[in-house]
Amino acid sequence: MSTSLVLLSARLLDPVTGELLPQTALAAAAGRITALGDDAEIRSLADTSTTVLDLGGAVVTPGLVDGHIHPATGADLTHGLDLSGCADVEQVRAALARAVRDLAPGAWLQGWGLDPNVFAGGPVGIAPFDAVLDGVPALLLLFDAHSMLASRRALELAGVTGPRTFDQATAEVVCDAAGRPTGLLLEEAACALVEGAAPQPTREERLERLAAALRTMAAAGLTGGHAMDANGDSLAFYGELDAAGRLPLRLRVAPWCQPGTGADGVRALIDQQGTGGRLWQTRGVKIFMDGTIDNGTAWLEHPDCHGESRHAFWPDPEEYTRVVGELHRAGVPTATHAIGDAAVRHVLDAVQKAQAEDSRPVRHRVEHIETVPDDTLRRFAELGVVASMQPTHCCDFTRADHTDNWSRRLGEERASRAWRCRDLHDSGAVVVLGSDWPIAPSPPLGVMAGARHRRPSRDLTLPPHGPQQALTALEALQGMTVNAAYAAGEEHEAGRIAVGHRADLTAFGGNPLTTAATELPDLPVLLTVVDGEPVHRDTRL
């Protein structure tokens, strides 16, 4: 077997101990690490076909893996007007006005990343933008991607004139007291009503957007991601990119199981497991237990300050429990979106029931876990349920003084339990870190930095939200290496630099463990290797 890659003059970092390995070089072949040793020893393994790179003392870690990401959906959603930098209604209005001036007659305006905090506690609706969007069909996606604002013209073109009923219990066309839509659409089913009326990009345009997004992720140091959807053409896109050698990340894809999925649908999800290609596979099933706190569709044990977030995403939560049990018996791991305390508790109850009925080891996960009481923490470790967290959501969408929309809705007690990464880790849970891109930026160094400093990334001088919940530098690195591998059931072949493990590697211009948290996002990514092949290489190498 010919050696395909040799890396020399490297500082190889073990994410389990946090120490540098004694070896300074490695070789890879057929996508695996085949040897570790000193430079002379490893150089001797190269032949004329081998890519040999002198890293000049760069620090090499196992490849960073985003534990929760939406590549294809994100590529579809993050086009048009970026509103994520707008801090108030006036800034949004000005951005929309500039975009409208450049808009062709009759064209739709698409925006994304809108923070509900711009409404300063007032009602979230399209009314503040009616004047600037007069006659303009517009869709403005809120940052959580669970809700959007539709302009009056967009609602008219879609034929949405009043409330609707959906299988998704928390989906809603929000209406005023007279039954007129306010422009706010909650959850995917309601958003789809108006999205379907907008012009759609071509398939080729969508494929190229996805390819560009994945290249950007690889350049930021990601070697893989746990993709939490398989909607539309996404699997076909992954297959096309993989076959063409254009897939720069290793993807583990979990298709959705929605309310109303019958026995045939569940069986189809089970049969789909393990399908894929060289760098992507369908593994696991993604399920929603609730929506989001910011738009009032989470499932809380006590309603929020508006009397909202009282219901599960599934009209009958016991149907969810039944589906989890069936998937568990088939050996299929589940990843359940559960943000509110009632949602998290119900997921843990469902897993406990499934385990009581069938003792086979299946690694289930809970995604997000934004606020939970003390008595929930220990159950993750007791049940072997992985805690999948996105700390940058806490950093960028909440505030230390609890004046943000998320905190105001929850009240002081629950807001003080925000993103309990430290408490979950200390209770024995395996904590996996991710971005939830496109909800938050995808660069993994930013995710690890946020887990450590918990400050708003746009202004690191501001105080942290819940600094007692911060992770150490080593724990943050583990959240995107060894813990991500464990969550995927791949700890025997991924997450460490060891002979026989995958040659998925990330090289940095410094040590991420000794770089200050606030400086970590700027640490140079010099090399990204996936399956033994460089997919990003800095010009300095």
Side-chain angles (χ1 to χ4, degrees):
M1 182 168 55
S2 178
T3 297
S4 60
L5 178 70
V6 161
L7 301 182
L8 304 172
S9 302
R11 291 185 287 162
L12 306 176
L13 182 60
D14 180 6
V16 174
T17 65
E19 301 295 327
L20 296 174
L21 297 177
Q23 299 89 351
T24 61
L26 66 79
R32 301 278 171 168
I33 298 172
T34 54
L36 299 172
D38 61 33
D39 284 16
E41 177 185 0
I42 299 303
R43 188 188 294 273
S44 69
L45 302 176
D47 59 28
T48 56
S49 66
T50 305
T51 299
V52 179
L53 297 176
D54 187 316
L55 298 188
V59 175
V60 179
T61 70
L64 302 183
V65 175
D66 191 310
H68 187 120
I69 198 166
H70 302 273
T73 301
D76 284 340
L77 296 179
T78 55
H79 68 279
L81 181 62
D82 181 357
L83 297 169
S84 61
C86 296
D88 55 40
V89 163
E90 286 304 320
Q91 291 182 14
V92 176
R93 195 178 286 129
L96 293 175
R98 290 191 295 271
V100 167
R101 283 197 296 270
D102 297 332
L103 206 62
W108 284 62
L109 192 159
Q110 304 270 358
W112 61 279
L114 180 62
D115 187 339
N117 284 304
V118 303
F119 295 94
V124 178
I126 201 66
F129 315 120
D130 278 344
V132 72
L133 295 176
D134 184 26
V136 176
L139 290 175
L140 311 179
L141 186 72
L142 273 75
F143 80 81
D144 61 10
H146 282 252
S147 50
M148 64 172 43
L149 294 180
S151 69
R152 310 295 178 185
R153 178 58 175 158
L155 292 168
E156 178 186 357
L157 291 173
V160 176
T161 59
R164 300 285 183 92
T165 301
F166 303 96
D167 287 338
Q168 299 171 0
T170 52
E172 182 181 0
V173 176
V174 178
C175 296
D176 61 20
R180 295 185 297 263
T182 66
L184 180 59
L185 307 169
L186 303 180
E187 299 299 343
E188 184 261 343
C191 295
L193 291 176
V194 186
E195 287 176 307
Q200 302 302 311
T202 67
R203 189 179 188 280
E204 185 61 26
E205 287 172 337
R206 294 178 58 236
L207 179 65
E208 291 308 312
R209 286 176 186 168
L210 172 59
L214 293 172
R215 287 195 301 271
T216 298
M217 293 174 191
L222 278 179
T223 64
H226 298 171
M228 292 295 169
D229 60 55
N231 301 328
D233 296 324
S234 60
L235 297 185
F237 284 168
Y238 298 146
E240 287 183 37
L241 294 175
D242 195 18
R246 299 178 63 203
L247 187 59
L249 264 64
R250 189 185 302 276
L251 297 175
R252 181 180 190 269
V253 186
W256 286 0
C257 181
Q258 296 274 38
T261 302
D264 290 345
V266 174
R267 173 46 56 184
L269 289 169
I270 293 170
D271 292 343
Q272 190 179 358
Q273 299 298 302
T275 59
R278 183 175 72 95
L279 288 177
W280 70 278
Q281 279 198 326
T282 302
R283 296 285 186 190
V285 170
K286 167 74 181 297
I287 317 178
F288 290 85
M289 198 66 249
D290 64 352
T292 70
I293 287 166
D294 276 295
N295 67 24
T297 59
W299 187 17
L300 298 172
E301 293 179 337
H302 305 287
D304 67 16
C305 71
H306 298 297
E308 297 176 339
S309 285
R310 297 173 296 167
H311 305 292
F313 188 74
W314 288 62
D316 179 6
E318 291 310 311
E319 179 64 12
Y320 163 87
T321 301
R322 187 195 66 75
V323 169
V324 168
E326 185 172 351
L327 293 170
H328 178 89
R329 287 190 296 275
V332 177
T334 60
T336 301
H337 168 122
I339 281 178
D341 45 18
V344 174
R345 191 181 301 278
H346 189 88
V347 175
L348 295 172
D349 289 345
V351 171
Q352 185 171 13
K353 184 174 189 295
Q355 291 176 345
E357 295 172 352
D358 190 311
S359 61
R360 76 185 62 203
V362 182
R363 287 179 189 166
H364 300 287
R365 309 163 44 139
V366 182
E367 310 296 316
H368 308 310
I369 319 167
E370 292 187 4
T371 179
V372 288
D374 290 346
D375 67 340
T376 304
L377 298 172
R378 57 177 174 75
R379 299 186 66 197
F380 281 83
E382 290 173 353
L383 298 171
V385 174
V386 172
S388 175
M389 311 286 285
Q390 296 77 46
T392 45
H393 294 197
C394 180
C395 295
D396 292 344
F397 304 130
T398 69
R399 300 170 188 153
D401 62 4
H402 296 170
T403 58
D404 57 279
N405 180 61
W406 185 93
S407 300
R408 284 197 306 266
R409 277 183 173 270
L410 285 178
E412 196 64 26
E413 179 184 355
R414 289 180 292 192
S416 69
R417 304 196 298 247
W419 285 268
R420 300 180 72 172
C421 298
R422 162 61 50 205
D423 289 343
L424 280 160
H425 175 276
D426 288 353
S427 71
V430 174
V431 177
V432 173
L433 300 181
S435 66
D436 198 15
W437 187 80
I439 311 308
S442 62
L445 290 174
V447 174
M448 292 192 295
R452 293 167 57 185
H453 63 59
R454 295 178 67 98
R455 298 173 184 270
S457 55
R458 64 171 65 94
D459 186 353
L460 294 171
T461 65
L462 293 175
H465 188 168
Q468 71 279 6
Q469 295 299 334
L471 297 178
T472 68
L474 180 58
E475 290 161 353
L477 178 62
Q478 290 169 343
M480 303 196 82
T481 53
V482 288
N483 292 359
Y486 176 87
E490 297 171 345
E491 66 272 24
H492 62 290
E493 62 176 349
R496 299 192 71 176
I497 297 177
V499 172
H501 276 49
R502 290 173 179 161
D504 294 352
L505 305 160
T506 308
F508 303 100
N511 191 332
L513 299 187
T514 58
T515 302
T518 53
E519 298 173 5
L520 187 62
D522 297 321
L523 186 66
V525 177
L526 301 180
L527 182 70
T528 309
V529 175
V530 175
D531 207 41
E533 299 177 6
V535 294
H536 162 72
R537 181 176 171 181
D538 189 271
T539 55
R540 284 169 279 191
L541 292 183

mmCIF file of all heavy atoms in Angstrom, residues 83-122:
data_model
loop_
_atom_site.group_PDB
_atom_site.id
_atom_site.type_symbol
_atom_site.label_atom_id
_atom_site.label_comp_id
_atom_site.label_asym_id
_atom_site.label_seq_id
_atom_site.Cartn_x
_atom_site.Cartn_y
_atom_site.Cartn_z
ATOM 1 N N LEU A 83 -28.965 40.031 7.399
ATOM 2 C CA LEU A 83 -29.475 40.959 8.411
ATOM 3 C C LEU A 83 -28.896 40.685 9.792
ATOM 4 O O LEU A 83 -29.307 41.310 10.764
ATOM 5 C CB LEU A 83 -31.017 40.863 8.473
ATOM 6 C CG LEU A 83 -31.752 41.275 7.202
ATOM 7 C CD1 LEU A 83 -33.237 40.891 7.297
ATOM 8 C CD2 LEU A 83 -31.617 42.781 6.969
ATOM 9 N N SER A 84 -27.947 39.765 9.881
ATOM 10 C CA SER A 84 -27.457 39.346 11.191
ATOM 11 C C SER A 84 -26.722 40.457 11.932
ATOM 12 O O SER A 84 -26.592 40.403 13.159
ATOM 13 C CB SER A 84 -26.539 38.126 11.047
ATOM 14 O OG SER A 84 -25.408 38.419 10.255
ATOM 15 N N GLY A 85 -26.240 41.478 11.226
ATOM 16 C CA GLY A 85 -25.539 42.568 11.888
ATOM 17 C C GLY A 85 -26.431 43.693 12.351
ATOM 18 O O GLY A 85 -25.950 44.663 12.952
ATOM 19 N N CYS A 86 -27.731 43.593 12.106
ATOM 20 C CA CYS A 86 -28.658 44.668 12.481
ATOM 21 C C CYS A 86 -29.053 44.539 13.944
ATOM 22 O O CYS A 86 -29.488 43.473 14.387
ATOM 23 C CB CYS A 86 -29.907 44.622 11.601
ATOM 24 S SG CYS A 86 -29.577 44.925 9.855
ATOM 25 N N ALA A 87 -28.935 45.643 14.696
ATOM 26 C CA ALA A 87 -29.190 45.616 16.130
ATOM 27 C C ALA A 87 -30.537 46.209 16.521
ATOM 28 O O ALA A 87 -30.975 46.044 17.661
ATOM 29 C CB ALA A 87 -28.078 46.352 16.872
ATOM 30 N N ASP A 88 -31.203 46.915 15.603
ATOM 31 C CA ASP A 88 -32.507 47.497 15.932
ATOM 32 C C ASP A 88 -33.345 47.633 14.659
ATOM 33 O O ASP A 88 -32.860 47.394 13.544
ATOM 34 C CB ASP A 88 -32.365 48.844 16.651
ATOM 35 C CG ASP A 88 -31.530 49.858 15.874
ATOM 36 O OD1 ASP A 88 -31.666 49.931 14.630
ATOM 37 O OD2 ASP A 88 -30.730 50.577 16.495
ATOM 38 N N VAL A 89 -34.591 48.031 14.845
ATOM 39 C CA VAL A 89 -35.535 48.132 13.729
ATOM 40 C C VAL A 89 -35.047 49.123 12.687
ATOM 41 O O VAL A 89 -35.177 48.890 11.470
ATOM 42 C CB VAL A 89 -36.935 48.497 14.248
ATOM 43 C CG1 VAL A 89 -37.812 49.004 13.113
ATOM 44 C CG2 VAL A 89 -37.596 47.299 14.911
ATOM 45 N N GLU A 90 -34.476 50.244 13.134
ATOM 46 C CA GLU A 90 -34.018 51.258 12.182
ATOM 47 C C GLU A 90 -32.921 50.713 11.274
ATOM 48 O O GLU A 90 -32.895 51.001 10.078
ATOM 49 C CB GLU A 90 -33.525 52.499 12.935
ATOM 50 C CG GLU A 90 -34.643 53.346 13.517
ATOM 51 C CD GLU A 90 -35.657 53.785 12.467
ATOM 52 O OE1 GLU A 90 -35.232 54.136 11.341
ATOM 53 O OE2 GLU A 90 -36.856 53.750 12.751
ATOM 54 N N GLN A 91 -32.015 49.937 11.823
ATOM 55 C CA GLN A 91 -30.953 49.356 11.003
ATOM 56 C C GLN A 91 -31.523 48.354 10.004
ATOM 57 O O GLN A 91 -31.071 48.291 8.858
ATOM 58 C CB GLN A 91 -29.899 48.700 11.888
ATOM 59 C CG GLN A 91 -29.070 49.677 12.698
ATOM 60 C CD GLN A 91 -28.001 48.985 13.526
ATOM 61 O OE1 GLN A 91 -27.689 47.815 13.317
ATOM 62 N NE2 GLN A 91 -27.436 49.709 14.482
ATOM 63 N N VAL A 92 -32.508 47.567 10.427
ATOM 64 C CA VAL A 92 -33.154 46.631 9.502
ATOM 65 C C VAL A 92 -33.859 47.406 8.397
ATOM 66 O O VAL A 92 -33.730 47.075 7.202
ATOM 67 C CB VAL A 92 -34.147 45.722 10.242
ATOM 68 C CG1 VAL A 92 -34.886 44.820 9.249
ATOM 69 C CG2 VAL A 92 -33.450 44.885 11.300
ATOM 70 N N ARG A 93 -34.568 48.456 8.786
ATOM 71 C CA ARG A 93 -35.306 49.252 7.804
ATOM 72 C C ARG A 93 -34.344 49.860 6.777
ATOM 73 O O ARG A 93 -34.618 49.846 5.569
ATOM 74 C CB ARG A 93 -36.101 50.336 8.537
ATOM 75 C CG ARG A 93 -37.183 50.994 7.692
ATOM 76 C CD ARG A 93 -37.946 52.026 8.506
ATOM 77 N NE ARG A 93 -38.853 51.413 9.453
ATOM 78 C CZ ARG A 93 -38.913 51.696 10.749
ATOM 79 N NH1 ARG A 93 -38.074 52.563 11.271
ATOM 80 N NH2 ARG A 93 -39.807 51.115 11.510
ATOM 81 N N ALA A 94 -33.221 50.347 7.246
ATOM 82 C CA ALA A 94 -32.244 50.955 6.322
ATOM 83 C C ALA A 94 -31.662 49.903 5.388
ATOM 84 O O ALA A 94 -31.476 50.166 4.184
ATOM 85 C CB ALA A 94 -31.139 51.638 7.126
ATOM 86 N N ALA A 95 -31.361 48.726 5.913
ATOM 87 C CA ALA A 95 -30.816 47.654 5.072
ATOM 88 C C ALA A 95 -31.826 47.225 4.018
ATOM 89 O O ALA A 95 -31.470 46.991 2.850
ATOM 90 C CB ALA A 95 -30.413 46.469 5.938
ATOM 91 N N LEU A 96 -33.090 47.128 4.413
ATOM 92 C CA LEU A 96 -34.136 46.754 3.460
ATOM 93 C C LEU A 96 -34.299 47.816 2.382
ATOM 94 O O LEU A 96 -34.462 47.495 1.198
ATOM 95 C CB LEU A 96 -35.459 46.537 4.194
ATOM 96 C CG LEU A 96 -35.533 45.340 5.144
ATOM 97 C CD1 LEU A 96 -36.862 45.333 5.888
ATOM 98 C CD2 LEU A 96 -35.352 44.036 4.389
ATOM 99 N N ALA A 97 -34.238 49.085 2.793
ATOM 100 C CA ALA A 97 -34.395 50.172 1.824
ATOM 101 C C ALA A 97 -33.293 50.120 0.770
ATOM 102 O O ALA A 97 -33.550 50.319 -0.424
ATOM 103 C CB ALA A 97 -34.397 51.513 2.548
ATOM 104 N N ARG A 98 -32.059 49.864 1.203
ATOM 105 C CA ARG A 98 -30.953 49.761 0.243
ATOM 106 C C ARG A 98 -31.164 48.593 -0.708
ATOM 107 O O ARG A 98 -30.922 48.695 -1.916
ATOM 108 C CB ARG A 98 -29.628 49.603 0.993
ATOM 109 C CG ARG A 98 -29.173 50.853 1.727
ATOM 110 C CD ARG A 98 -27.730 50.709 2.206
ATOM 111 N NE ARG A 98 -27.591 49.654 3.205
ATOM 112 C CZ ARG A 98 -27.730 49.826 4.519
ATOM 113 N NH1 ARG A 98 -28.014 51.038 4.999
ATOM 114 N NH2 ARG A 98 -27.561 48.823 5.349
ATOM 115 N N ALA A 99 -31.639 47.477 -0.166
ATOM 116 C CA ALA A 99 -31.854 46.298 -1.008
ATOM 117 C C ALA A 99 -32.995 46.526 -2.001
ATOM 118 O O ALA A 99 -32.912 46.098 -3.160
ATOM 119 C CB ALA A 99 -32.150 45.089 -0.137
ATOM 120 N N VAL A 100 -34.049 47.204 -1.562
ATOM 121 C CA VAL A 100 -35.198 47.464 -2.441
ATOM 122 C C VAL A 100 -34.779 48.342 -3.615
ATOM 123 O O VAL A 100 -35.236 48.153 -4.750
ATOM 124 C CB VAL A 100 -36.346 48.103 -1.637
ATOM 125 C CG1 VAL A 100 -37.413 48.675 -2.573
ATOM 126 C CG2 VAL A 100 -36.968 47.081 -0.687
ATOM 127 N N ARG A 101 -33.887 49.309 -3.356
ATOM 128 C CA ARG A 101 -33.439 50.201 -4.442
ATOM 129 C C ARG A 101 -32.750 49.420 -5.558
ATOM 130 O O ARG A 101 -32.815 49.804 -6.723
ATOM 131 C CB ARG A 101 -32.488 51.262 -3.877
ATOM 132 C CG ARG A 101 -33.177 52.379 -3.129
ATOM 133 C CD ARG A 101 -32.251 53.579 -2.957
ATOM 134 N NE ARG A 101 -31.085 53.274 -2.138
ATOM 135 C CZ ARG A 101 -31.041 53.417 -0.812
ATOM 136 N NH1 ARG A 101 -32.120 53.865 -0.167
ATOM 137 N NH2 ARG A 101 -29.940 53.129 -0.139
ATOM 138 N N ASP A 102 -32.083 48.319 -5.195
ATOM 139 C CA ASP A 102 -31.351 47.525 -6.187
ATOM 140 C C ASP A 102 -32.173 46.381 -6.760
ATOM 141 O O ASP A 102 -31.675 45.610 -7.592
ATOM 142 C CB ASP A 102 -30.079 46.958 -5.560
ATOM 143 C CG ASP A 102 -29.118 48.045 -5.122
ATOM 144 O OD1 ASP A 102 -29.152 49.125 -5.733
ATOM 145 O OD2 ASP A 102 -28.361 47.810 -4.160
ATOM 146 N N LEU A 103 -33.429 46.265 -6.324
ATOM 147 C CA LEU A 103 -34.251 45.124 -6.700
ATOM 148 C C LEU A 103 -34.927 45.363 -8.049
ATOM 149 O O LEU A 103 -35.459 46.458 -8.298
ATOM 150 C CB LEU A 103 -35.307 44.889 -5.611
ATOM 151 C CG LEU A 103 -35.872 43.491 -5.422
ATOM 152 C CD1 LEU A 103 -34.759 42.522 -5.010
ATOM 153 C CD2 LEU A 103 -36.954 43.520 -4.342
ATOM 154 N N ALA A 104 -34.909 44.350 -8.895
ATOM 155 C CA ALA A 104 -35.617 44.464 -10.176
ATOM 156 C C ALA A 104 -37.122 44.493 -9.924
ATOM 157 O O ALA A 104 -37.611 43.912 -8.941
ATOM 158 C CB ALA A 104 -35.260 43.285 -11.075
ATOM 159 N N PRO A 105 -37.887 45.155 -10.784
ATOM 160 C CA PRO A 105 -39.343 45.220 -10.606
ATOM 161 C C PRO A 105 -39.960 43.823 -10.516
ATOM 162 O O PRO A 105 -39.674 42.952 -11.345
ATOM 163 C CB PRO A 105 -39.829 45.961 -11.860
ATOM 164 C CG PRO A 105 -38.644 46.765 -12.292
ATOM 165 C CD PRO A 105 -37.442 45.938 -11.952
ATOM 166 N N GLY A 106 -40.760 43.590 -9.475
ATOM 167 C CA GLY A 106 -41.440 42.308 -9.306
ATOM 168 C C GLY A 106 -40.598 41.230 -8.657
ATOM 169 O O GLY A 106 -41.112 40.145 -8.335
ATOM 170 N N ALA A 107 -39.303 41.486 -8.463
ATOM 171 C CA ALA A 107 -38.424 40.466 -7.871
ATOM 172 C C ALA A 107 -38.685 40.344 -6.372
ATOM 173 O O ALA A 107 -39.127 41.288 -5.718
ATOM 174 C CB ALA A 107 -36.962 40.822 -8.121
ATOM 175 N N TRP A 108 -38.405 39.165 -5.850
ATOM 176 C CA TRP A 108 -38.546 38.921 -4.416
ATOM 177 C C TRP A 108 -37.273 39.336 -3.696
ATOM 178 O O TRP A 108 -36.159 39.110 -4.185
ATOM 179 C CB TRP A 108 -38.801 37.437 -4.148
ATOM 180 C CG TRP A 108 -40.206 36.991 -4.461
ATOM 181 C CD1 TRP A 108 -40.811 37.011 -5.673
ATOM 182 C CD2 TRP A 108 -41.159 36.459 -3.532
ATOM 183 N NE1 TRP A 108 -42.091 36.512 -5.583
ATOM 184 C CE2 TRP A 108 -42.328 36.153 -4.275
ATOM 185 C CE3 TRP A 108 -41.140 36.180 -2.166
ATOM 186 C CZ2 TRP A 108 -43.465 35.612 -3.681
ATOM 187 C CZ3 TRP A 108 -42.273 35.636 -1.568
ATOM 188 C CH2 TRP A 108 -43.428 35.364 -2.327
ATOM 189 N N LEU A 109 -37.454 39.884 -2.506
ATOM 190 C CA LEU A 109 -36.333 40.205 -1.636
ATOM 191 C C LEU A 109 -36.196 39.091 -0.594
ATOM 192 O O LEU A 109 -37.154 38.792 0.119
ATOM 193 C CB LEU A 109 -36.556 41.560 -0.953
ATOM 194 C CG LEU A 109 -35.372 42.193 -0.214
ATOM 195 C CD1 LEU A 109 -35.583 43.695 -0.067
ATOM 196 C CD2 LEU A 109 -35.151 41.581 1.166
ATOM 197 N N GLN A 110 -35.033 38.502 -0.528
ATOM 198 C CA GLN A 110 -34.764 37.443 0.447
ATOM 199 C C GLN A 110 -33.767 37.959 1.474
ATOM 200 O O GLN A 110 -32.730 38.517 1.122
ATOM 201 C CB GLN A 110 -34.172 36.208 -0.249
ATOM 202 C CG GLN A 110 -35.034 35.649 -1.372
ATOM 203 C CD GLN A 110 -36.015 34.599 -0.884
ATOM 204 O OE1 GLN A 110 -36.034 34.254 0.283
ATOM 205 N NE2 GLN A 110 -36.825 34.083 -1.786
ATOM 206 N N GLY A 111 -34.066 37.775 2.748
ATOM 207 C CA GLY A 111 -33.157 38.163 3.816
ATOM 208 C C GLY A 111 -33.034 37.038 4.825
ATOM 209 O O GLY A 111 -33.901 36.166 4.909
ATOM 210 N N TRP A 112 -31.963 37.059 5.611
ATOM 211 C CA TRP A 112 -31.753 35.995 6.596
ATOM 212 C C TRP A 112 -30.972 36.545 7.792
ATOM 213 O O TRP A 112 -30.356 37.605 7.726
ATOM 214 C CB TRP A 112 -31.014 34.806 5.980
ATOM 215 C CG TRP A 112 -29.649 35.111 5.442
ATOM 216 C CD1 TRP A 112 -29.355 35.671 4.230
ATOM 217 C CD2 TRP A 112 -28.390 34.910 6.099
ATOM 218 N NE1 TRP A 112 -28.002 35.822 4.085
ATOM 219 C CE2 TRP A 112 -27.369 35.351 5.210
ATOM 220 C CE3 TRP A 112 -28.011 34.373 7.325
ATOM 221 C CZ2 TRP A 112 -26.016 35.302 5.529
ATOM 222 C CZ3 TRP A 112 -26.668 34.311 7.655
ATOM 223 C CH2 TRP A 112 -25.687 34.766 6.759
ATOM 224 N N GLY A 113 -31.029 35.801 8.904
ATOM 225 C CA GLY A 113 -30.255 36.171 10.080
ATOM 226 C C GLY A 113 -30.883 37.242 10.950
ATOM 227 O O GLY A 113 -30.213 37.814 11.809
ATOM 228 N N LEU A 114 -32.173 37.529 10.785
ATOM 229 C CA LEU A 114 -32.827 38.593 11.554
ATOM 230 C C LEU A 114 -32.961 38.182 13.023
ATOM 231 O O LEU A 114 -33.523 37.139 13.343
ATOM 232 C CB LEU A 114 -34.207 38.893 10.953
ATOM 233 C CG LEU A 114 -35.027 39.986 11.648
ATOM 234 C CD1 LEU A 114 -34.299 41.326 11.576
ATOM 235 C CD2 LEU A 114 -36.413 40.094 11.013
ATOM 236 N N ASP A 115 -32.442 39.017 13.903
ATOM 237 C CA ASP A 115 -32.477 38.764 15.346
ATOM 238 C C ASP A 115 -33.749 39.374 15.926
ATOM 239 O O ASP A 115 -33.978 40.582 15.776
ATOM 240 C CB ASP A 115 -31.237 39.392 15.996
ATOM 241 C CG ASP A 115 -31.084 39.032 17.465
ATOM 242 O OD1 ASP A 115 -32.079 38.639 18.096
ATOM 243 O OD2 ASP A 115 -29.958 39.166 17.983
ATOM 244 N N PRO A 116 -34.588 38.591 16.607
ATOM 245 C CA PRO A 116 -35.822 39.162 17.181
ATOM 246 C C PRO A 116 -35.546 40.226 18.231
ATOM 247 O O PRO A 116 -36.451 40.999 18.585
ATOM 248 C CB PRO A 116 -36.533 37.942 17.779
ATOM 249 C CG PRO A 116 -35.478 36.916 17.962
ATOM 250 C CD PRO A 116 -34.489 37.144 16.853
ATOM 251 N N ASN A 117 -34.320 40.305 18.734
ATOM 252 C CA ASN A 117 -34.000 41.358 19.692
ATOM 253 C C ASN A 117 -34.098 42.753 19.087
ATOM 254 O O ASN A 117 -34.164 43.739 19.838
ATOM 255 C CB ASN A 117 -32.600 41.139 20.264
ATOM 256 C CG ASN A 117 -32.576 40.028 21.304
ATOM 257 O OD1 ASN A 117 -33.308 40.066 22.295
ATOM 258 N ND2 ASN A 117 -31.751 39.018 21.071
ATOM 259 N N VAL A 118 -34.114 42.845 17.755
ATOM 260 C CA VAL A 118 -34.249 44.179 17.145
ATOM 261 C C VAL A 118 -35.592 44.811 17.489
ATOM 262 O O VAL A 118 -35.725 46.039 17.465
ATOM 263 C CB VAL A 118 -34.077 44.137 15.606
ATOM 264 C CG1 VAL A 118 -32.737 43.540 15.218
ATOM 265 C CG2 VAL A 118 -35.221 43.412 14.922
ATOM 266 N N PHE A 119 -36.572 44.004 17.851
ATOM 267 C CA PHE A 119 -37.901 44.535 18.166
ATOM 268 C C PHE A 119 -37.995 45.032 19.607
ATOM 269 O O PHE A 119 -39.049 45.512 20.020
ATOM 270 C CB PHE A 119 -38.971 43.481 17.885
ATOM 271 C CG PHE A 119 -39.080 43.111 16.432
ATOM 272 C CD1 PHE A 119 -38.391 42.023 15.924
ATOM 273 C CD2 PHE A 119 -39.847 43.871 15.555
ATOM 274 C CE1 PHE A 119 -38.462 41.684 14.581
ATOM 275 C CE2 PHE A 119 -39.929 43.540 14.213
ATOM 276 C CZ PHE A 119 -39.241 42.447 13.718
ATOM 277 N N ALA A 120 -36.915 44.886 20.370
ATOM 278 C CA ALA A 120 -36.803 45.454 21.721
ATOM 279 C C ALA A 120 -37.984 45.102 22.615
ATOM 280 O O ALA A 120 -38.495 45.936 23.367
ATOM 281 C CB ALA A 120 -36.639 46.970 21.631
ATOM 282 N N GLY A 121 -38.411 43.871 22.525
ATOM 283 C CA GLY A 121 -39.496 43.422 23.390
ATOM 284 C C GLY A 121 -40.879 43.653 22.828
ATOM 285 O O GLY A 121 -41.871 43.180 23.394
ATOM 286 N N GLY A 122 -40.988 44.380 21.717
ATOM 287 C CA GLY A 122 -42.277 44.598 21.083
ATOM 288 C C GLY A 122 -42.674 43.410 20.234
ATOM 289 O O GLY A 122 -41.911 42.453 20.077
#
